Amino acid sequence: MTVAKYFDEMSYGPAPEADTEAREWLARHTSGFGHFINGAFVASASARSFDTFEPATGKVLAKLATGGAEDVDNAVAAARKAQVSWARLPGHARARHLYALARMIQRHARLIAVVEAIDNGKPIRETRDLDVPLAARHFYHHAGWAQIQDTEFADHVPVGVVGQIIPWNFPFLMLAWKVAPALALGNAVVLKPAEFTSLTALLFAELASAAGLPPGVLNIVTGDGETGALLVGHEDIDKIAFTGSTEVGRVIRERTAGSGKSLTLELGGKSPFIVFDDADIDGAVEGVVDAIWFNQGQVCCAGSRLLVHEGIADIFHERLKRRMQTLRVGQPLDKCIDMGAIIAPVQLTRIEALVNKGVSEGATLHQAKIDMPKGGSFYPPTLLSGVQPTSIVATEEIFGPVAVSMTFRTPEEAIQLANHTRYGLAASLWSETIGLALNVAAKLAAGVVWVNATNLFDAAVGFGGKRESGFGREGGREGCYEYLKPKAWIGRKARPATPAPSPVKPAAGDFTLSTIDRTAKLFIGGKQARPDGNYSRVIASPKGKAIGEVGEGNRKDIRNAVVAARAATAWSNATAHNRAQILYYIAENLSGRADEFAARITAMTGASAASAKAEIDAAISRLFTYAAWADKYEGVVHQPPLRGVALAMPEAIGVVGVICPPEAPLLGLVSLVAPLIATGNRVVVVPSEPYPLSATDFYSILETSDLPAGVVNIVTGSAIELAKTLAAHNDVDAVWAFGSTELSAMVEKLSSGNLKRTFVDNGKATDWMDRAAAEGALYLRRAVDVKNIWIPYGE
Ligand code: NAI
């Protein structure tokens, strides 16, 4: 094309970014890279390797080592050794290292951006303007947390050695999201990049080494899912942080169950993009471009489900199609393109298959009729409209440049459609009416909500999902806690074996009628309910004297309790003041009957009168603590370096199953239930199995304290059996389980179905009288999910 012709047509010509330096860097590694272990590149002990390809051309880019068991062992050993001295460094020293890494990224920004574009296939415009600057920002931000760690996280220590597994869609940015907080807070890392895109991680290793990062603090082992699995299964790793598909997340959850490893999962999504009839339509159309065509739609939080108000659907779709026609798909290094290549042929085939399926299910297909590059893996911007909410393209993550669209008539219907998904990562909503936008934002089941915007990220603002989009947050203060553990829990000892129930001695007179009369039922939906199986169990004193009976709950009782808890939504929407007041009432009513409750503990456990009284006093005080926190455990407003602010709002998780520890029959229950209900959750509680009578006595306290029906449900019986039903229940959002190691492992494993949040003690006993270990923010943090709502603010 001649210059005159360009002037004639006013179309864009190619504006390629030079790749000389990137190709030279690759040329220096033609014999392969090896792994980065203990500060140096080493050949793979597995002696296996694989090729990595350039998505835009299909050509081989480099040879990478396949990490085997020995490589992973070496990397973990190097990390273990380095972590000790790294954590001992003053925060300021670590801050300087993080700062040096940030500066290094900035100094080599263009090289990283070009390598990333070549390796991943995404446009240079994105790697240059987003991936790399945001990665640098993460290192700056976390340099700051390292600097103030000793004051801001004084009651925590680093987790230790962290295994990090990242996907291919944002290779460098995901590395930064994982590595920056881990290192800043004193951990050492073994990172496995995605097999499609390992190059910028290896380049980063070179840069980190040149920046003087101590050997062993950062290790990189390349390889595929098998290498990832070796890392996950390694017994000397303290934590796994994973970003990738929900399927693999689920496997990792099961694999780490019972290992004591801490886990965060950032998984898939099918995020709604809601356009109301009062939206700025052109703004929203541009939003769709950023939501689903950014990074070829290979974005976990892509706004892939368009929900459009019926009244504007025609005009919106018309303008969207017009805009699609102006998108440019081309070579990643062309500075004028909007979309580059799909990561790999296998992914392209998957996208094509899903789109065909959508069409066969009745969706209308629209693809921009634009020039497509030849060769490589490219897919055009695509819109499937008239999609049924239940169809596969509306429910499955396509992970490609494919928007599916549906219409709605009312805001309520929009919310219903938006939340009609097993995921809960992000949501974008468009309306010029602040009341409507913020009302809807509060009701969306998503970890991140963007108002009149989409795909905004910042190191200071937590990112992460609900439901099957995983758990844990990256970024900001919440993200820091994922790499720390509480000092108060260090040195906890294995819980002594639960005393076997004393055999009831059938001496005459033990089974008096008055005892039997007080047989406790279950407590479900605010009412005492007979157990479904109509069985009871006798509770005996340490000396084998029958002191009461409780119902033997079964899976049906748990299911009824979950239904009751699910229905008690008003509690989650109640004001914090209201919840606080009720917690104070519970405390006051317990206080009025303190002697009776203390006597019951003594009768069940044989505890001295003084220690039983101390337990009751601590329970009353703990209820006051959470009443106090109810209206003080609040959100914050982040001020990211982008337009607007982000409201970080702690939200109740929902319905939580609670398996109380065997010891401390009343205090254990109060310590777990009070933080949950203070923050608006509804609970199904399985009380101490050997000593359940404090819980059944507690019904009358709850009944007289104005606690709405269904907020606390209590099912007595076998802890392990009832926990099994709770952990596998798809309408339970979290399970807190305190008891045996077997209980922890089982709960974690069965939780993988709907990826519920778990909080378990791995059989370690908590001293419930110790306020530092047993109350406060440690528990409140686990009782909520933080939702980050980005809203326009100022200019
Ligand atoms: P993936 O989840 O298989 O891979 C992500 C990372 O996990 C890679 O580093 C991989 O090597 C590793 N991995 C795979 N199996 C593992 C195992 N058993 N144990 C430990 N690590 C393991 O994702 P993949 O196969 O690359 O893409 C498949 C689909 O996953 C995509 O079509 C997309 O729907 C989804 N996906 C979602 C992402 C997200 O950010 N939500 C990112 C990448 C993919």
Side-chain angles (χ1 to χ4, degrees):
M1 205 143 64
T2 60
V3 174
K5 192 144 185 281
Y6 283 131
F7 267 110
D8 237 22
E9 294 184 1
M10 290 302 280
S11 61
Y12 292 98
E17 174 77 34
D19 61 357
T20 325
E21 279 197 35
R23 301 278 173 196
E24 278 170 12
W25 179 75
L26 283 166
R28 284 203 293 278
H29 297 281
T30 40
S31 55
F33 279 88
H35 309 295
F36 184 72
I37 296 176
N38 206 23
F41 281 91
V42 293
S44 186
S46 78
R48 285 185 290 137
S49 64
F50 63 101
D51 288 336
T52 185
F53 297 88
E54 188 171 345
T57 61
K59 288 187 190 142
V60 174
L61 257 184
K63 189 185 280 304
L64 300 173
T66 306
E70 199 181 328
D71 300 304
V72 172
D73 270 351
N74 293 342
V76 173
R80 175 62 65 200
K81 186 152 172 280
Q83 193 265 330
V84 180
S85 35
W86 179 246
R88 263 197 220 124
L89 286 181
H92 175 63
R94 260 182 281 118
R96 290 183 78 126
H97 277 293
L98 270 278
Y99 171 74
L101 293 173
R103 292 292 294 131
M104 202 64 154
I105 292 171
Q106 287 183 318
R107 281 203 300 277
H108 297 274
R110 196 52 65 91
L111 175 62
I112 303 169
V114 175
V115 174
E116 188 82 319
I118 296 174
D119 193 22
N120 172 278
K122 60 169 76 185
I124 178 77
R125 212 160 47 84
E126 289 177 14
T127 59
R128 184 196 61 197
D129 299 345
L130 195 134
D131 299 58
V132 178
L134 252 182
R137 158 103 182 111
H138 266 264
F139 281 93
Y140 274 112
H141 179 78
H142 287 94
W145 284 122
Q147 176 70 25
I148 58 178
Q149 180 176 2
D150 56 350
T151 53
E152 290 304 297
F153 302 109
D155 47 0
H156 282 71
V157 295
V159 172
V161 173
V162 187
Q164 305 186 319
I165 299 171
I166 55 173
W168 42 259
N169 52 346
F170 292 93
F172 192 68
L173 185 57
M174 286 302 107
L175 172 146
W177 280 27
K178 295 258 180 303
V179 169
L183 296 193
L185 297 160
N187 302 279
V189 162
V190 179
L191 175 108
K192 194 204 77 68
E195 53 272 43
F196 292 128
T197 53
S198 306
L199 293 178
T200 45
L202 297 165
L203 174 55
F204 178 72
E206 279 186 18
L207 297 176
S209 190
L213 192 69
V217 166
L218 169 75
N219 304 276
I220 295 178
V221 178
T222 51
D224 58 10
E226 263 180 55
T227 310
L230 288 169
L231 193 55
V232 168
H234 200 289
E235 58 184 30
D236 201 25
I237 293 241
D238 302 303
K239 177 192 170 73
I240 293 290
F242 172 79
T243 299
S245 61
T246 294
E247 283 144 281
V248 173
R250 200 169 267 131
V251 170
I252 293 177
R253 168 68 293 180
E254 287 173 7
R255 190 75 209 282
T256 52
S259 67
K261 288 188 180 102
S262 128
L263 178 65
T264 44
L265 298 174
E266 301 285 351
L267 310 175
K270 191 77 189 175
S271 300
F273 183 103
I274 313 168
V275 190
F276 288 99
D277 58 3
D278 61 353
D280 161 5
I281 294 186
D282 290 325
V285 164
E286 214 44 46
V288 177
V289 174
D290 289 336
I292 189 69
W293 294 310
F294 162 60
N295 201 17
Q296 298 72 249
Q298 303 168 134
V299 182
C300 50
C301 50
S304 52
R305 278 189 300 143
L306 307 187
L307 307 176
V308 187
H309 218 143
E310 199 177 69
I312 55 157
D314 285 346
I315 182 160
F316 181 81
H317 284 112
E318 189 194 309
R319 289 199 208 170
L320 183 60
K321 287 176 187 169
R322 210 186 303 154
R323 179 68 179 94
M324 284 168 78
Q325 203 50 43
T326 62
L327 290 171
R328 292 166 50 86
V329 181
Q331 295 303 322
L333 289 183
D334 183 343
K335 284 175 273 197
C336 292
I337 60 150
D338 300 294
M339 274 171 53
I342 303 294
I343 188 74
V346 55
Q347 202 61 22
L348 188 64
T349 312
R350 186 186 132 87
I351 297 168
E352 284 163 351
L354 278 165
V355 169
N356 289 340
K357 181 91 181 131
V359 172
S360 74
E361 285 182 344
T364 307
L365 173 69
H366 177 83
Q367 288 181 322
K369 286 173 196 55
I370 52 180
D371 291 340
M372 293 292 290
K374 306 283 175 286
S377 303
F378 291 92
Y379 197 80
T382 299
L383 172 70
L384 288 171
S385 47
V387 166
Q388 293 303 316
T390 49
S391 77
I392 195 155
V393 284
T395 52
E396 283 287 309
E397 186 176 37
I398 299 177
F399 228 61
V402 183
V404 302
S405 109
M406 285 157 264
T407 58
F408 65 85
R409 290 189 179 153
T410 61
E412 290 68 35
E413 195 190 348
I415 294 164
Q416 242 177 20
L417 280 171
N419 291 343
H420 179 76
T421 167
R422 60 197 174 101
Y423 297 113
L425 192 50
S428 168
L429 68 95
W430 296 74
S431 165
E432 290 298 295
T433 309
I434 184 171
L436 175 68
L438 297 185
N439 178 10
V440 173
K443 293 178 181 151
L444 294 173
V448 185
V449 177
W450 294 291
V451 175
N452 291 339
T454 189
N455 278 338
L456 301 179
F457 312 100
D458 182 56
V461 185
F463 182 88
K466 289 173 86 79
R467 302 174 168 176
E468 292 183 39
S469 292
F471 42 78
R473 292 289 180 268
E474 294 188 298
R477 189 183 284 271
E478 300 101 274
C480 289
Y481 280 113
E482 308 287 355
Y483 288 99
L484 295 168
K485 64 180 178 197
K487 278 185 185 162
W489 292 352
I490 294 171
R492 282 188 305 180
K493 300 270 180 322
R495 168 175 283 110
T498 309
S502 307
V504 177
K505 294 181 190 132
D510 271 358
F511 248 70
T512 60
L513 270 181
S514 63
T515 311
I516 301 299
D517 276 354
R518 277 195 262 116
T519 295
K521 296 178 181 151
L522 314 178
F523 188 62
I524 297 177
K527 294 199 190 74
Q528 304 213 14
R530 210 176 283 287
D532 168 71
N534 256 325
Y535 282 101
S536 308
R537 56 164 70 187
V538 176
I539 303 305
S541 73
K543 294 208 171 107
K545 183 171 167 358
I547 53 172
E549 278 188 355
V550 293
E552 184 74 51
N554 66 15
R555 44 175 44 214
K556 179 80 178 10
D557 298 310
I558 290 285
R559 285 203 287 262
N560 291 341
V562 172
V563 170
R566 181 58 63 197
T569 47
W571 183 251
S572 300
N573 300 326
T575 64
H577 170 70
N578 182 222
R579 292 199 293 263
Q581 234 180 326
I582 288 173
L583 279 158
Y584 282 128
Y585 294 161
I586 296 173
E588 185 191 337
N589 289 332
L590 178 60
S591 173
R593 289 169 56 189
D595 293 344
E596 180 197 324
F597 272 78
R600 179 67 106 178
I601 288 179
T602 299
M604 280 190 298
T605 66
S608 69
S611 86
K613 176 158 188 323
E615 180 175 341
I616 305 300
D617 288 347
I620 294 166
S621 165
R622 195 143 295 161
L623 286 160
F624 260 64
T625 295
Y626 289 110
W629 273 119
D631 63 354
K632 293 170 196 67
Y633 195 70
E634 294 182 312
V636 294
V637 181
H638 295 299
Q639 293 166 270
L642 293 159
R643 143 200 124 97
V645 294
L647 313 178
M649 304 282 282
E651 283 189 347
I653 294 173
V655 173
V656 182
V658 179
I659 320 299
C660 297
E663 72 276 3
L666 185 69
L667 184 58
L669 180 146
V670 164
S671 301
L672 300 179
V673 169
L676 283 165
I677 63 173
T679 44
N681 297 282
R682 295 93 73 193
V683 295
V684 176
V685 185
V686 178
S688 158
E689 184 172 339
Y691 313 125
L693 299 175
S694 295
T696 56
D697 293 345
F698 203 52
Y699 300 167
S700 56
I701 301 267
L702 298 177
E703 280 169 337
T704 50
S705 304
D706 288 349
L707 185 76
V711 175
V712 174
N713 306 274
I714 302 179
V715 179
T716 47
S718 154
I720 198 106
E721 283 307 312
L722 299 174
K724 210 174 269 176
T725 307
L726 279 167
H729 199 304
N730 275 335
D731 209 22
V732 171
D733 303 298
V735 174
W736 290 15
F738 286 62
S740 62
T741 46
E742 179 199 1
L743 175 77
S744 296
M746 188 269 290
V747 162
E748 286 187 332
K749 185 150 196 172
L750 292 180
S751 70
S752 71
N754 66 346
L755 287 163
K756 53 177 70 66
R757 280 121 186 78
T758 54
F759 179 16
V760 300
D761 67 2
N762 292 303
K764 303 264 175 58
T766 302
D767 175 1
W768 298 104
M769 298 296 289
D770 173 8
R771 293 184 64 192
E775 97 179 22
L778 296 185
Y779 293 80
L780 290 161
R781 245 192 320 277
R782 287 167 174 79
V784 299
D785 266 335
V786 177
K787 179 193 264 181
N788 278 283
I789 306 151
W790 294 69
I791 54 174
Y793 183 78
E795 280 186 274

